[in-house]
Amino acid sequence: LAIRFQKALSLGSFENNQYELARLAERDAGDPWMRQAILSSSLQSAELLLARLLEKRRFEHRAGGVELVRELAFAVGARGDKTQLDSLLKTLGQQPEDVPTYLQNAVVAGLARGCKLRGQSLATLLNTADSTAQARITKLMQEAAAVGADSTRSPVERVPAMELYPFFPWEQVRSPLFAALGPQEPPEVQRTSLKILASRDEKEVASELISHWKQLTPPVREEGMTILLSRPPWLPLVVEALEQGNIPAGQLAIPHRARILAAADKTLVARAEKILGPAASSPRKEIVEKYRLVLGKLSETKTAGDSAKGALVYRRECANCHQLGKEGFAVGPNLATIRHRSPQEILFHVLD
């Protein structure tokens, strides 16, 4: 790999390097350093390299290939060279109808993002394309909404389609975006949904994130709170959710707590301090000890556990991240692995 990395870097000094770069990309696109080397050596030939990669479609690492194709298209869009843009649009227009579209979607998404960087919209770019390219890209856009929402497809197919959602009317993509936050969705799909939601200003984004809060997995919650705190008008909704228990205070990371308590609105800060301030913080040791004493009393009286009530607690608090039998989602460890643990051990691992 080190030798191929050096080769990729050196190819930037040669013309007509797209064939050798394509061979390296097909084999090593899964390596981020190789992707950077290929990108740096293809500045003058990015559109030709993309044409080659779209023709062959044989990446050993498909996700890495999608990432490389997206960034190559971004470079073409951001550079704004008319010859390169016309060539890439022509390549898209010539794509066969009967091949997977995820690479083409990645090209369109990257191209649009690059054009936006220099102030050109996707619609304006399409006005410069010939009718074949316009028809092809229009069809890709029409199919993308359904592909991105199709949970039977792989993330490699869905993510590039979802990256076209910012170019759709909000009402058309709002439901698929919020559905993509579900705990059963792959992490790549969840992160893509959050990335798109972070670019929206609709107040509904904050309301929906909060209403879905207890269904979100821990990594998604952290990213979701970052989004919620990125818009000052959304802070009252966050504080209200904390007050009502819709967002448990214990699920806030320390940086998020600090950001809420440093807000400019002192009235909101005063309300938040009642929940997040030192006086409202719950000492972990005392909580663990409280439950330990209850477990001890149950053990002394030989009181049997209530499996029906336990099942309700599991479905409410645990199923989003842990499987048990055929229920739940495999985000964290399977709870079947704790059957041999004592109640005291389980208590310690859950609360401490």
Side-chain angles (χ1 to χ4, degrees):
L1 180 62
I3 294 174
R4 295 194 298 275
F5 176 73
Q6 289 294 332
K7 180 180 180 180
L9 289 174
S10 65
L11 282 169
S13 303
F14 298 88
E15 295 183 357
N16 298 317
N17 60 7
Q18 65 267 23
Y19 302 103
E20 285 300 319
L21 286 174
R23 277 190 280 270
L24 291 170
E26 288 164 1
R27 179 173 180 176
D28 296 313
D31 183 85
W33 291 104
M34 278 296 292
R35 290 200 299 271
Q36 289 302 314
I38 292 168
L39 283 166
S40 69
S41 292
S42 62
L43 181 62
Q44 306 300 326
S45 59
E47 81 286 5
L48 301 176
L49 177 55
L50 278 168
R52 186 75 176 171
L53 295 174
L54 288 173
E55 177 189 358
K56 297 299 182 181
R57 302 183 301 278
R58 56 186 183 196
F59 291 104
E60 292 186 13
H61 190 282
R62 289 203 303 167
V66 168
E67 181 69 24
L68 176 61
V69 163
R70 182 192 298 113
E71 291 307 310
L72 284 166
F74 171 79
V76 173
R79 192 178 185 202
D81 181 87
K82 188 176 187 306
T83 301
Q84 285 190 326
L85 287 168
D86 290 345
S87 175
L88 182 53
L89 289 170
K90 183 178 179 180
T91 295
L92 283 169
Q94 293 173 341
Q95 294 303 299
E97 293 284 341
D98 58 346
V99 299
T101 58
Y102 62 92
L103 288 178
Q104 297 170 52
N105 286 334
V107 170
V108 177
L111 189 60
R113 188 164 55 92
C115 289
K116 183 179 180 181
L117 191 67
R118 55 182 179 80
Q120 184 181 31
S121 68
L122 179 61
T124 303
L125 175 66
L126 287 182
N127 288 335
T128 69
D130 61 35
S131 59
T132 306
Q134 287 181 353
R136 184 61 185 154
I137 294 173
T138 299
K139 185 175 181 181
L140 288 171
M141 297 287 288
Q142 290 171 343
E143 295 173 348
V147 173
D150 188 350
S151 60
T152 66
R153 294 176 181 263
S154 70
V156 168
E157 295 175 283
R158 293 177 65 189
V159 167
M162 291 176 67
E163 288 175 338
L164 296 176
Y165 282 7
F167 308 104
F168 287 83
W170 170 243
E171 285 303 316
Q172 187 175 352
V173 296
R174 57 176 296 281
S175 294
L177 282 171
F178 291 123
L181 296 176
Q184 75 280 5
E185 293 286 4
E188 303 95 320
V189 171
Q190 293 177 325
R191 285 194 293 269
T192 302
S193 177
L194 282 173
K195 182 179 177 181
I196 297 168
L197 290 172
S199 68
R200 309 295 306 198
D201 290 321
E202 289 85 357
K203 190 176 181 180
E204 182 186 12
V205 172
S207 301
E208 287 289 336
L209 272 176
I210 291 170
S211 69
H212 284 75
W213 189 264
K214 293 185 179 179
Q215 303 171 22
L216 305 180
T217 58
V220 177
R221 285 176 189 158
E222 186 149 351
E223 292 185 48
M225 183 53 65
T226 299
I227 294 172
L228 289 170
L229 298 181
S230 68
R231 306 284 197 280
W234 294 353
L235 183 58
L237 297 177
V238 175
V239 174
E240 182 181 357
L242 286 166
E243 290 172 334
Q244 295 177 352
N246 294 325
I247 296 179
Q251 292 178 356
L252 288 186
I254 292 176
H256 291 148
R257 288 171 173 258
R259 190 166 180 179
I260 293 171
L261 296 175
D265 189 327
K266 299 308 177 186
T267 302
L268 281 176
V269 169
R271 288 167 57 189
E273 282 179 338
K274 295 178 181 179
I275 307 160
L276 304 177
S281 61
S282 299
R284 181 68 59 184
K285 184 177 179 181
E286 283 80 351
I287 293 175
V288 173
E289 182 63 18
K290 175 183 175 181
Y291 279 90
R292 191 187 66 77
L293 290 173
V294 172
L295 280 177
K297 291 178 180 178
L298 290 174
S299 177
E300 291 173 3
T301 59
K302 298 182 179 181
T303 304
D306 189 326
S307 60
K309 291 182 178 178
L312 292 175
V313 173
Y314 163 75
R315 294 184 185 111
R316 186 182 69 240
E317 303 290 346
C318 314
N320 283 341
C321 298
H322 300 277
Q323 277 189 324
L324 183 60
K326 295 182 179 180
E327 291 191 66
F329 300 99
V331 178
N334 192 309
L335 295 188
T337 62
I338 67 170
R339 292 185 185 278
H340 67 286
R341 302 280 187 180
S342 70
Q344 297 286 354
E345 286 180 290
I346 296 171
L347 172 68
F348 176 79
H349 287 291
V350 169
L351 294 183
D352 203 11

